[in-house]
Amino acid sequence: PTKAYFVDDASVLSKSTRSALNKKLGILETVTGYRVEVVTVRKLEFETDAFAFADKVVDNWYPGDAKKDKGVLLMVTAGKEGAVTGGEGFVSAVGDDLIDSISGDNIPIFAEEERYNQAVLSSVDRLEAQLNGQPVPKAP
C-alpha cells in the first residue's frame, strides 16, 4: 500500500485525476472505513487474468485479516481490461453486480477510447456511491 490512493504504473492518470482520487478515496476511507486503491499497469506480466493479478496485489499489500475492508481497482491499459477485488468485507459491500459492471462496462468502454482517467473516475464514483449507501450511477 502507498500513502496515496493510487499506483499509476502505466503513467496514464493526469495530475487532476490523481488529486481527485486522493481526495475522494481519502474521504471514503474516513467515512466508511473502506480503503480503495487504484492501480494502473500497461500489461500483465505474471498473470493472464486481471482479477488474478488484482487478487495478488491485495494479498501482498494486506496479508491475512488486514485485507477485510480493502479494495483494489485495477486497469490494464494494453488489454483494455480491468478488475475490482478486495477483502471479504469490501467485496460483500460492493456486490458482484457492481464488480461485474465496472470490470465489464466502465473500464473496457472508456479504455477502448483511451479515456483512462474517465474509466478510473467513473468507476470510483460508482464504488463510492455503493459504499456510502447512495444511488449508484449507471454504467456508460
Side-chain angles (χ1 to χ4, degrees):
T2 61
K3 258 199 263 185
Y5 289 86
F6 62 86
V7 176
D8 186 21
D9 192 59
S11 300
V12 293
L13 301 179
S14 69
K15 189 174 180 182
S16 64
T17 295
R18 290 170 180 221
S19 176
L21 288 174
N22 276 335
K23 184 175 180 185
K24 282 175 178 277
L25 296 175
I27 292 169
L28 181 69
E29 184 176 19
T30 301
V31 171
T32 68
Y34 293 103
R35 181 175 177 93
V36 180
E37 297 183 69
V38 174
V39 178
T40 70
V41 294
R42 267 187 328 100
K43 62 183 181 177
L44 297 175
E45 302 209 6
F46 305 107
E47 288 289 341
T48 55
D49 178 71
F51 277 94
F53 181 82
D55 281 337
K56 280 190 173 178
V57 169
V58 173
D59 290 340
N60 283 334
W61 284 357
Y62 303 107
D65 290 341
K67 70 181 172 195
K68 180 175 177 263
D69 293 332
K70 310 297 191 287
V72 168
L73 168 67
L74 170 71
M75 185 170 56
V76 184
T77 58
K80 306 206 183 314
E81 62 181 327
V84 177
T85 191
E88 193 177 303
F90 173 80
V91 170
S92 174
V94 172
D96 290 341
D97 290 347
L98 183 56
I99 289 172
D100 292 346
S101 179
I102 289 172
S103 57
D105 297 323
N106 278 71
I107 293 173
I109 288 170
F110 287 121
E112 189 60 42
E113 301 169 358
E114 297 190 356
R115 295 171 58 197
Y116 304 116
N117 291 281
Q118 188 67 34
V120 167
L121 290 173
S122 66
S123 299
V124 165
D125 285 347
R126 296 181 78 203
L127 289 170
E128 182 182 37
Q130 178 72 15
L131 293 171
N132 277 313
Q134 297 168 347
V136 176
K138 297 246 181 276

